[in-house]
Amino acid sequence: MPHIFDADVITAVLRHMNGDHTDDNLLIARAFAEPADAEITDAVMTGFDGDAGVWEVTRDGAATELRVSWPGGPISDRPAVRREVVAVYDAACARLGIEPRPHA
């Protein structure tokens, strides 16, 4: 059973991802959502747990759920969420052949 984070942690991370990283959400969706040839017009992070991040991906007016496992394996603390979201972003860049921006 994956770790379930407190609601305040989930709310803060989702607010940050959907407010400050909308382009990253799209990039992650374009890298991991199937089928890869369908144009994605929107992606919003909707949740996460200790095993994966979850995005709602929109293409052709229809929304589907995308679940991406954390590259480093299961997590159980808030600092690990940032580390793993960055790792998912880096993996998405690698899949798409895009140079990732530096991380602070």
Side-chain angles (χ1 to χ4, degrees), residues 23-33 55 66 68-69 71 84-101 103:
D23 290 342
D24 295 349
N25 288 335
L26 276 170
L27 183 84
I28 291 165
R30 290 179 177 142
F32 294 105
W55 286 261
L66 169 66
V68 181
S69 296
E84 292 304 313
V85 169
V86 169
V88 168
Y89 164 81
D90 287 342
C93 288
R95 273 189 175 206
L96 297 173
I98 296 170
E99 184 71 27
R101 70 178 177 286
H103 306 294

Side-chain angles (χ1 to χ4, degrees), residues 3-14:
H3 177 79
I4 303 301
F5 289 88
D6 292 338
D8 61 329
V9 172
I10 294 171
T11 298
V13 170
L14 296 180

Side-chain angles (χ1 to χ4, degrees), residues 50-100:
D51 288 346
V54 180
W55 286 261
E56 180 180 274
V57 177
T58 304
R59 58 182 137 214
D60 297 327
T64 58
E65 183 177 278
L66 169 66
R67 188 169 171 85
V68 181
S69 296
W70 302 130
I75 60 173
S76 60
D77 60 17
R78 185 177 179 152
V81 176
R82 182 188 188 284
R83 181 189 70 228
E84 292 304 313
V85 169
V86 169
V88 168
Y89 164 81
D90 287 342
C93 288
R95 273 189 175 206
L96 297 173
I98 296 170
E99 184 71 27

